Short mmCIF file of all heavy atoms in Angstrom, two decimals:
data_model
loop_
_atom_site.label_atom_id
_atom_site.label_comp_id
_atom_site.label_asym_id
_atom_site.label_seq_id
_atom_site.Cartn_x
_atom_site.Cartn_y
_atom_site.Cartn_z
N GLY A 783 -75.56 8.23 -32.94
CA GLY A 783 -74.51 7.41 -32.47
C GLY A 783 -74.83 5.89 -32.43
O GLY A 783 -73.92 5.19 -32.29
N GLN A 784 -76.09 5.53 -32.53
CA GLN A 784 -76.51 4.21 -32.58
C GLN A 784 -76.54 3.68 -34.08
O GLN A 784 -76.73 4.50 -34.95
CB GLN A 784 -77.81 4.00 -31.92
CG GLN A 784 -77.82 4.12 -30.40
CD GLN A 784 -79.12 3.74 -29.78
OE1 GLN A 784 -80.21 3.91 -30.34
NE2 GLN A 784 -79.11 3.30 -28.51
N THR A 785 -76.45 2.39 -34.14
CA THR A 785 -76.43 1.77 -35.37
C THR A 785 -76.97 0.31 -35.37
O THR A 785 -76.76 -0.40 -34.35
CB THR A 785 -75.09 1.76 -36.10
OG1 THR A 785 -75.16 1.03 -37.39
CG2 THR A 785 -74.08 0.97 -35.29
N VAL A 786 -77.72 -0.08 -36.36
CA VAL A 786 -78.19 -1.46 -36.40
C VAL A 786 -77.10 -2.31 -36.89
O VAL A 786 -76.44 -2.08 -38.03
CB VAL A 786 -79.41 -1.50 -37.38
CG1 VAL A 786 -79.87 -3.01 -37.43
CG2 VAL A 786 -80.65 -0.73 -36.84
N LEU A 787 -76.77 -3.40 -36.13
CA LEU A 787 -75.50 -4.19 -36.42
C LEU A 787 -75.85 -5.41 -37.04
O LEU A 787 -74.90 -6.10 -37.54
CB LEU A 787 -74.71 -4.34 -35.11
CG LEU A 787 -74.18 -3.14 -34.35
CD1 LEU A 787 -73.53 -3.69 -33.08
CD2 LEU A 787 -73.25 -2.51 -35.20
N GLY A 788 -77.11 -5.82 -37.29
CA GLY A 788 -77.38 -7.09 -37.94
C GLY A 788 -78.64 -7.19 -38.53
O GLY A 788 -79.45 -6.05 -38.37
N MET A 808 -76.86 -15.08 -35.66
CA MET A 808 -76.96 -14.06 -36.76
C MET A 808 -75.63 -13.41 -36.83
O MET A 808 -74.92 -13.19 -35.91
CB MET A 808 -78.05 -13.08 -36.39
CG MET A 808 -77.82 -12.19 -35.10
SD MET A 808 -78.97 -10.92 -34.97
CE MET A 808 -80.44 -11.91 -34.38
N HIS A 809 -75.41 -12.94 -38.18
CA HIS A 809 -74.15 -12.10 -38.35
C HIS A 809 -74.22 -10.78 -37.89
O HIS A 809 -75.33 -10.18 -37.82
CB HIS A 809 -73.86 -12.20 -39.85
CG HIS A 809 -73.05 -13.32 -40.21
ND1 HIS A 809 -72.08 -13.35 -41.14
CD2 HIS A 809 -72.90 -14.65 -39.76
CE1 HIS A 809 -71.54 -14.57 -41.32
NE2 HIS A 809 -72.01 -15.29 -40.48
N HIS A 810 -73.24 -10.06 -37.58
CA HIS A 810 -73.13 -8.77 -37.19
C HIS A 810 -72.06 -8.04 -37.91
O HIS A 810 -71.16 -8.68 -38.47
CB HIS A 810 -73.10 -8.46 -35.72
CG HIS A 810 -71.78 -8.95 -35.18
ND1 HIS A 810 -70.60 -8.14 -35.10
CD2 HIS A 810 -71.42 -9.98 -34.46
CE1 HIS A 810 -69.56 -8.78 -34.67
NE2 HIS A 810 -70.06 -9.98 -34.14
N CYS A 811 -72.04 -6.66 -38.02
CA CYS A 811 -71.03 -5.88 -38.62
C CYS A 811 -70.09 -5.06 -37.79
O CYS A 811 -69.55 -4.07 -38.30
CB CYS A 811 -71.69 -5.11 -39.85
SG CYS A 811 -72.77 -3.92 -39.11
N ALA A 812 -70.13 -5.32 -36.45
CA ALA A 812 -69.34 -4.50 -35.52
C ALA A 812 -67.92 -5.04 -35.56
O ALA A 812 -67.69 -6.34 -35.56
CB ALA A 812 -69.91 -4.58 -34.11
N VAL A 813 -66.94 -4.21 -35.48
CA VAL A 813 -65.62 -4.49 -35.24
C VAL A 813 -65.21 -4.40 -33.90
O VAL A 813 -65.20 -3.33 -33.35
CB VAL A 813 -64.61 -3.60 -36.12
CG1 VAL A 813 -63.08 -3.98 -35.92
CG2 VAL A 813 -64.89 -3.65 -37.61
N CYS A 814 -65.12 -5.57 -33.14
CA CYS A 814 -64.98 -5.74 -31.78
C CYS A 814 -63.55 -5.86 -31.27
O CYS A 814 -63.36 -6.64 -30.29
CB CYS A 814 -65.90 -6.68 -31.19
SG CYS A 814 -67.60 -6.49 -31.54
N ASP A 815 -62.58 -5.28 -32.02
CA ASP A 815 -61.24 -5.48 -31.50
C ASP A 815 -61.09 -4.83 -29.99
O ASP A 815 -60.44 -5.44 -29.16
CB ASP A 815 -60.20 -4.74 -32.39
CG ASP A 815 -60.16 -5.45 -33.69
OD1 ASP A 815 -60.56 -6.57 -33.80
OD2 ASP A 815 -59.77 -4.82 -34.72
N GLY A 816 -61.72 -3.73 -29.72
CA GLY A 816 -61.73 -3.08 -28.46
C GLY A 816 -63.12 -3.03 -28.00
O GLY A 816 -63.88 -2.29 -28.39
N GLN A 817 -63.45 -3.95 -26.92
CA GLN A 817 -64.80 -3.99 -26.46
C GLN A 817 -65.22 -2.57 -25.90
O GLN A 817 -66.47 -2.24 -25.73
CB GLN A 817 -64.99 -4.95 -25.41
CG GLN A 817 -64.86 -6.45 -25.83
CD GLN A 817 -66.07 -6.81 -26.75
OE1 GLN A 817 -67.12 -6.09 -26.57
NE2 GLN A 817 -65.96 -7.92 -27.42
N GLN A 818 -64.24 -1.66 -25.47
CA GLN A 818 -64.62 -0.35 -24.93
C GLN A 818 -65.11 0.54 -26.07
O GLN A 818 -65.71 1.65 -25.56
CB GLN A 818 -63.38 0.20 -24.22
CG GLN A 818 -62.33 0.63 -25.16
CD GLN A 818 -61.26 -0.51 -25.44
OE1 GLN A 818 -61.60 -1.58 -25.14
NE2 GLN A 818 -60.32 -0.20 -26.16
N ASP A 819 -65.00 0.24 -27.29
CA ASP A 819 -65.60 1.15 -28.35
C ASP A 819 -67.12 0.96 -28.50
O ASP A 819 -67.71 1.90 -29.13
CB ASP A 819 -64.83 0.83 -29.63
CG ASP A 819 -63.39 1.18 -29.55
OD1 ASP A 819 -63.10 2.01 -28.56
OD2 ASP A 819 -62.52 0.78 -30.35
N TRP A 820 -67.68 -0.11 -28.04
CA TRP A 820 -69.11 -0.46 -28.30
C TRP A 820 -69.83 -0.61 -27.07
O TRP A 820 -69.29 -1.30 -26.06
CB TRP A 820 -69.25 -1.73 -29.17
CG TRP A 820 -68.96 -1.48 -30.70
CD1 TRP A 820 -67.80 -1.88 -31.21
CD2 TRP A 820 -69.69 -0.92 -31.66
NE1 TRP A 820 -67.91 -1.63 -32.61
CE2 TRP A 820 -69.00 -0.99 -32.81
CE3 TRP A 820 -71.02 -0.37 -31.66
CZ2 TRP A 820 -69.53 -0.45 -34.05
CZ3 TRP A 820 -71.46 0.26 -32.88
CH2 TRP A 820 -70.70 0.14 -34.01
N LEU A 821 -71.08 -0.14 -27.05
CA LEU A 821 -72.09 -0.64 -26.02
C LEU A 821 -73.23 -1.34 -26.89
O LEU A 821 -73.96 -0.70 -27.58
CB LEU A 821 -72.70 0.69 -25.36
CG LEU A 821 -73.76 0.28 -24.27
CD1 LEU A 821 -73.12 -0.47 -23.05
CD2 LEU A 821 -74.47 1.57 -23.81
N ILE A 822 -73.26 -2.65 -26.84
CA ILE A 822 -74.20 -3.43 -27.75
C ILE A 822 -75.25 -3.87 -26.87
O ILE A 822 -75.22 -4.44 -25.81
CB ILE A 822 -73.24 -4.65 -28.33
CG1 ILE A 822 -72.12 -4.19 -29.18
CG2 ILE A 822 -74.23 -5.62 -29.10
CD1 ILE A 822 -71.30 -5.34 -29.67
N GLN A 823 -76.44 -3.59 -27.48
CA GLN A 823 -77.67 -4.04 -26.94
C GLN A 823 -78.52 -4.98 -27.72
O GLN A 823 -78.43 -4.83 -28.95
CB GLN A 823 -78.53 -2.74 -26.68
CG GLN A 823 -78.04 -1.72 -25.73
CD GLN A 823 -78.88 -0.48 -25.69
OE1 GLN A 823 -79.25 0.09 -26.80
NE2 GLN A 823 -79.44 -0.14 -24.57
N LEU A 824 -79.19 -5.97 -27.12
CA LEU A 824 -80.18 -6.73 -27.72
C LEU A 824 -81.61 -6.13 -27.61
O LEU A 824 -81.94 -5.94 -26.46
CB LEU A 824 -79.99 -8.24 -27.22
CG LEU A 824 -80.98 -9.16 -27.90
CD1 LEU A 824 -80.51 -9.49 -29.28
CD2 LEU A 824 -81.08 -10.46 -27.22
N LYS A 825 -82.29 -6.00 -28.68
CA LYS A 825 -83.67 -5.44 -28.65
C LYS A 825 -84.62 -6.52 -29.07
O LYS A 825 -84.40 -7.35 -29.91
CB LYS A 825 -83.74 -4.18 -29.36
CG LYS A 825 -82.99 -2.95 -28.91
CD LYS A 825 -83.21 -1.84 -29.79
CE LYS A 825 -82.52 -0.50 -29.09
NZ LYS A 825 -83.23 -0.05 -27.94
N ASP A 835 -85.61 -2.94 -24.75
CA ASP A 835 -84.21 -3.45 -24.50
C ASP A 835 -84.37 -4.64 -23.77
O ASP A 835 -85.16 -4.78 -22.77
CB ASP A 835 -83.53 -2.47 -23.58
CG ASP A 835 -83.20 -1.05 -24.48
OD1 ASP A 835 -83.13 -1.11 -25.71
OD2 ASP A 835 -82.91 -0.10 -23.78
N VAL A 836 -83.42 -5.63 -24.06
CA VAL A 836 -83.49 -6.93 -23.33
C VAL A 836 -82.31 -7.00 -22.54
O VAL A 836 -82.35 -7.33 -21.37
CB VAL A 836 -83.41 -8.14 -24.44
CG1 VAL A 836 -83.47 -9.47 -23.78
CG2 VAL A 836 -84.81 -8.09 -25.38
N VAL A 837 -81.17 -6.90 -23.07
CA VAL A 837 -79.90 -7.05 -22.31
C VAL A 837 -78.74 -6.12 -22.98
O VAL A 837 -78.76 -5.92 -24.24
CB VAL A 837 -79.36 -8.50 -22.15
CG1 VAL A 837 -79.04 -9.09 -23.56
CG2 VAL A 837 -78.26 -8.53 -21.19
N VAL A 838 -77.87 -5.61 -22.22
CA VAL A 838 -76.62 -5.08 -22.74
C VAL A 838 -75.53 -6.08 -22.55
O VAL A 838 -75.26 -6.51 -21.43
CB VAL A 838 -76.31 -3.73 -21.88
CG1 VAL A 838 -75.01 -3.09 -22.40
CG2 VAL A 838 -77.48 -2.71 -22.06
N VAL A 839 -74.80 -6.25 -23.71
CA VAL A 839 -73.64 -7.18 -23.51
C VAL A 839 -72.55 -6.71 -22.54
O VAL A 839 -72.11 -5.58 -22.63
CB VAL A 839 -72.98 -7.30 -24.97
CG1 VAL A 839 -71.80 -8.34 -24.87
CG2 VAL A 839 -73.99 -7.78 -26.03
N GLY A 840 -72.32 -7.66 -21.66
CA GLY A 840 -71.29 -7.29 -20.57
C GLY A 840 -71.94 -6.86 -19.25
O GLY A 840 -71.21 -6.78 -18.24
N GLU A 841 -73.34 -6.72 -19.30
CA GLU A 841 -73.92 -6.31 -18.06
C GLU A 841 -75.05 -7.31 -17.58
O GLU A 841 -76.04 -6.97 -16.97
CB GLU A 841 -74.62 -4.85 -18.35
CG GLU A 841 -73.61 -3.88 -18.55
CD GLU A 841 -74.20 -2.42 -18.73
OE1 GLU A 841 -75.67 -2.32 -18.46
OE2 GLU A 841 -73.59 -1.44 -19.09
N GLU A 842 -74.83 -8.56 -17.96
CA GLU A 842 -75.74 -9.59 -17.52
C GLU A 842 -75.76 -9.87 -15.95
O GLU A 842 -74.84 -9.61 -15.39
CB GLU A 842 -75.44 -10.87 -18.24
CG GLU A 842 -75.63 -10.86 -19.66
CD GLU A 842 -74.37 -10.50 -20.53
OE1 GLU A 842 -73.46 -9.92 -19.89
OE2 GLU A 842 -74.18 -10.76 -21.70
N CYS A 848 -81.44 -13.76 -21.02
CA CYS A 848 -80.83 -14.43 -22.16
C CYS A 848 -79.24 -14.02 -21.94
O CYS A 848 -78.94 -13.19 -21.05
CB CYS A 848 -81.24 -13.95 -23.41
SG CYS A 848 -81.12 -12.23 -23.87
N TYR A 849 -78.51 -14.72 -22.70
CA TYR A 849 -76.98 -14.57 -22.79
C TYR A 849 -76.52 -14.36 -24.24
O TYR A 849 -77.12 -15.04 -25.09
CB TYR A 849 -76.36 -15.69 -22.14
CG TYR A 849 -74.75 -15.69 -22.22
CD1 TYR A 849 -74.11 -14.94 -21.30
CD2 TYR A 849 -74.20 -16.52 -23.13
CE1 TYR A 849 -72.65 -14.96 -21.55
CE2 TYR A 849 -72.80 -16.48 -23.23
CZ TYR A 849 -72.07 -15.71 -22.45
OH TYR A 849 -70.66 -15.74 -22.51
N ILE A 850 -75.55 -13.50 -24.47
CA ILE A 850 -75.09 -13.14 -25.68
C ILE A 850 -73.64 -13.53 -25.81
O ILE A 850 -72.78 -13.08 -25.00
CB ILE A 850 -75.35 -11.84 -26.15
CG1 ILE A 850 -76.86 -11.49 -26.21
CG2 ILE A 850 -74.82 -11.55 -27.55
CD1 ILE A 850 -77.19 -9.96 -26.55
N GLN A 851 -73.22 -14.32 -26.81
CA GLN A 851 -71.73 -14.61 -27.03
C GLN A 851 -71.40 -13.93 -28.32
O GLN A 851 -71.89 -14.22 -29.44
CB GLN A 851 -71.53 -16.23 -27.15
CG GLN A 851 -70.10 -16.54 -27.48
CD GLN A 851 -69.09 -16.28 -26.39
OE1 GLN A 851 -69.59 -16.30 -25.32
NE2 GLN A 851 -67.94 -15.97 -26.79
N MET A 852 -70.46 -13.03 -28.28
CA MET A 852 -70.10 -12.17 -29.35
C MET A 852 -68.82 -12.85 -29.90
O MET A 852 -67.75 -12.94 -29.31
CB MET A 852 -69.84 -10.81 -28.97
CG MET A 852 -71.19 -10.03 -28.50
SD MET A 852 -72.24 -9.68 -29.95
CE MET A 852 -71.24 -8.65 -30.94
N ASP A 853 -68.88 -13.29 -31.26
CA ASP A 853 -67.64 -13.58 -31.94
C ASP A 853 -67.39 -12.61 -32.97
O ASP A 853 -67.93 -11.53 -32.96
CB ASP A 853 -67.99 -15.02 -32.70
CG ASP A 853 -68.12 -16.13 -31.78
OD1 ASP A 853 -67.84 -16.06 -30.64
OD2 ASP A 853 -68.78 -17.16 -32.26
N ASP A 854 -66.24 -12.79 -33.72
CA ASP A 854 -65.80 -11.76 -34.60
C ASP A 854 -66.86 -11.38 -35.62
O ASP A 854 -67.11 -10.15 -35.90
CB ASP A 854 -64.47 -12.21 -35.43
CG ASP A 854 -63.30 -12.30 -34.37
OD1 ASP A 854 -63.38 -11.72 -33.27
OD2 ASP A 854 -62.41 -13.03 -34.76
N ALA A 856 -70.29 -13.18 -35.91
CA ALA A 856 -71.60 -13.58 -35.44
C ALA A 856 -71.79 -13.41 -34.12
O ALA A 856 -70.84 -13.38 -33.21
CB ALA A 856 -71.60 -15.06 -36.04
N CYS A 857 -72.94 -13.39 -33.66
CA CYS A 857 -73.43 -13.47 -32.36
C CYS A 857 -74.36 -14.62 -32.20
O CYS A 857 -75.12 -14.92 -33.01
CB CYS A 857 -74.00 -12.06 -31.84
SG CYS A 857 -75.62 -11.76 -32.50
N HIS A 858 -74.24 -15.15 -30.84
CA HIS A 858 -75.23 -16.27 -30.42
C HIS A 858 -76.08 -15.87 -29.31
O HIS A 858 -75.43 -15.56 -28.24
CB HIS A 858 -74.36 -17.49 -30.28
CG HIS A 858 -73.38 -17.86 -31.25
ND1 HIS A 858 -73.69 -18.46 -32.47
CD2 HIS A 858 -71.96 -17.49 -31.49
CE1 HIS A 858 -72.51 -18.61 -33.19
NE2 HIS A 858 -71.57 -17.97 -32.70
N ILE A 859 -77.35 -15.96 -29.46
CA ILE A 859 -78.18 -15.51 -28.39
C ILE A 859 -78.87 -16.79 -27.71
O ILE A 859 -79.54 -17.49 -28.54
CB ILE A 859 -79.29 -14.73 -28.94
CG1 ILE A 859 -78.72 -13.43 -29.62
CG2 ILE A 859 -80.20 -14.17 -27.95
CD1 ILE A 859 -79.72 -12.64 -30.46
N CYS A 868 -83.06 -8.00 -32.54
CA CYS A 868 -82.05 -7.22 -33.37
C CYS A 868 -81.13 -6.75 -32.50
O CYS A 868 -81.29 -6.40 -31.36
CB CYS A 868 -82.89 -6.16 -34.04
SG CYS A 868 -81.84 -5.07 -35.14
N LEU A 869 -79.81 -6.64 -33.09
CA LEU A 869 -78.62 -6.14 -32.24
C LEU A 869 -78.45 -4.73 -32.76
O LEU A 869 -78.26 -4.38 -33.96
CB LEU A 869 -77.44 -7.00 -32.61
CG LEU A 869 -76.36 -7.20 -31.58
CD1 LEU A 869 -76.99 -7.88 -30.45
CD2 LEU A 869 -75.19 -8.09 -32.17
N VAL A 870 -78.31 -3.79 -31.63
CA VAL A 870 -78.12 -2.44 -31.86
C VAL A 870 -76.92 -2.04 -31.13
O VAL A 870 -76.65 -2.38 -29.93
CB VAL A 870 -79.24 -1.56 -31.40
CG1 VAL A 870 -78.97 -0.03 -31.48
CG2 VAL A 870 -80.53 -2.03 -32.35
N GLY A 871 -75.93 -1.20 -31.76
CA GLY A 871 -74.73 -0.77 -31.12
C GLY A 871 -74.68 0.71 -30.81
O GLY A 871 -75.16 1.58 -31.69
N GLN A 872 -74.13 1.04 -29.77
CA GLN A 872 -74.00 2.51 -29.37
C GLN A 872 -72.40 2.80 -29.44
O GLN A 872 -71.77 2.20 -28.71
CB GLN A 872 -74.51 2.88 -28.05
CG GLN A 872 -74.29 4.21 -27.52
CD GLN A 872 -75.16 5.22 -28.15
OE1 GLN A 872 -76.26 5.05 -28.28
NE2 GLN A 872 -74.37 6.34 -28.60
N SER A 873 -72.18 3.80 -30.27
CA SER A 873 -70.77 4.24 -30.44
C SER A 873 -70.27 4.94 -29.14
O SER A 873 -71.00 5.75 -28.70
CB SER A 873 -70.57 5.05 -31.63
OG SER A 873 -69.17 5.65 -31.63
N LEU A 874 -69.04 4.53 -28.63
CA LEU A 874 -68.53 5.17 -27.40
C LEU A 874 -67.36 6.08 -27.67
O LEU A 874 -66.85 6.83 -26.84
CB LEU A 874 -68.16 4.12 -26.36
CG LEU A 874 -69.26 3.19 -25.84
CD1 LEU A 874 -68.76 2.23 -24.93
CD2 LEU A 874 -70.52 4.06 -25.33
N THR A 878 -64.75 3.91 -32.93
CA THR A 878 -65.66 2.83 -33.21
C THR A 878 -65.93 2.54 -34.58
O THR A 878 -66.11 3.44 -35.37
CB THR A 878 -67.07 3.14 -32.46
OG1 THR A 878 -66.78 3.48 -31.17
CG2 THR A 878 -67.89 2.00 -32.48
N THR A 879 -65.87 1.25 -35.01
CA THR A 879 -65.87 0.86 -36.44
C THR A 879 -66.89 -0.25 -36.71
O THR A 879 -66.99 -1.05 -35.87
CB THR A 879 -64.42 0.33 -36.83
OG1 THR A 879 -63.47 1.35 -36.48
CG2 THR A 879 -64.39 0.10 -38.23
N LYS A 880 -67.47 -0.13 -37.79
CA LYS A 880 -68.45 -1.18 -38.30
C LYS A 880 -67.90 -1.58 -39.75
O LYS A 880 -67.41 -0.63 -40.40
CB LYS A 880 -69.88 -0.77 -38.33
CG LYS A 880 -70.26 0.36 -39.19
CD LYS A 880 -71.72 0.79 -39.24
CE LYS A 880 -72.62 -0.24 -39.78
NZ LYS A 880 -73.98 0.30 -39.86
N ARG A 881 -68.21 -2.77 -40.09
CA ARG A 881 -67.88 -3.20 -41.52
C ARG A 881 -68.96 -3.02 -42.47
O ARG A 881 -70.09 -3.18 -42.16
CB ARG A 881 -67.49 -4.67 -41.35
CG ARG A 881 -66.34 -5.04 -40.51
CD ARG A 881 -65.93 -6.57 -40.62
NE ARG A 881 -67.09 -7.50 -40.55
CZ ARG A 881 -67.57 -7.88 -39.40
NH1 ARG A 881 -66.99 -7.49 -38.38
NH2 ARG A 881 -68.70 -8.69 -39.41
N TRP A 970 -74.24 5.23 -41.41
CA TRP A 970 -73.96 4.61 -40.09
C TRP A 970 -75.19 3.92 -39.44
O TRP A 970 -75.05 3.08 -38.68
CB TRP A 970 -73.37 5.83 -39.15
CG TRP A 970 -73.06 5.37 -37.69
CD1 TRP A 970 -73.66 5.54 -36.56
CD2 TRP A 970 -71.80 4.67 -37.42
NE1 TRP A 970 -73.11 5.00 -35.54
CE2 TRP A 970 -71.99 4.47 -36.00
CE3 TRP A 970 -70.68 4.16 -38.05
CZ2 TRP A 970 -70.99 3.87 -35.30
CZ3 TRP A 970 -69.73 3.51 -37.35
CH2 TRP A 970 -69.83 3.23 -36.02
N ARG A 1077 -67.00 -15.56 -20.23
CA ARG A 1077 -67.23 -14.13 -20.05
C ARG A 1077 -68.25 -13.96 -18.92
O ARG A 1077 -68.01 -12.97 -18.01
CB ARG A 1077 -67.74 -13.45 -21.29
CG ARG A 1077 -68.01 -12.00 -21.07
CD ARG A 1077 -68.42 -11.36 -22.38
NE ARG A 1077 -69.72 -11.79 -22.94
CZ ARG A 1077 -70.90 -11.44 -22.39
NH1 ARG A 1077 -70.83 -10.58 -21.37
NH2 ARG A 1077 -72.08 -11.87 -22.80
#
Side-chain angles (χ1 to χ4, degrees):
Q784 289 186 331
T785 177
V786 179
L787 295 177
M808 65 176 74
H809 271 213
H810 67 81
C811 60
V813 178
C814 298
D815 293 338
Q817 290 288 346
Q818 67 275 9
D819 291 340
W820 284 104
L821 180 68
I822 299 178
Q823 297 175 301
L824 180 68
K825 291 182 176 288
D835 295 339
V836 178
V837 65
V838 177
V839 177
E841 298 182 6
E842 296 91 342
C848 62
Y849 171 80
I850 299 177
Q851 176 68 31
M852 294 291 296
D853 294 341
D854 291 340
C857 72
H858 310 277
I859 305 168
C868 183
L869 213 60
V870 174
Q872 173 73 47
S873 171
L874 300 181
T878 305
T879 306
K880 66 181 289 188
R881 297 188 310 275
W970 181 260
R1077 182 178 60 81

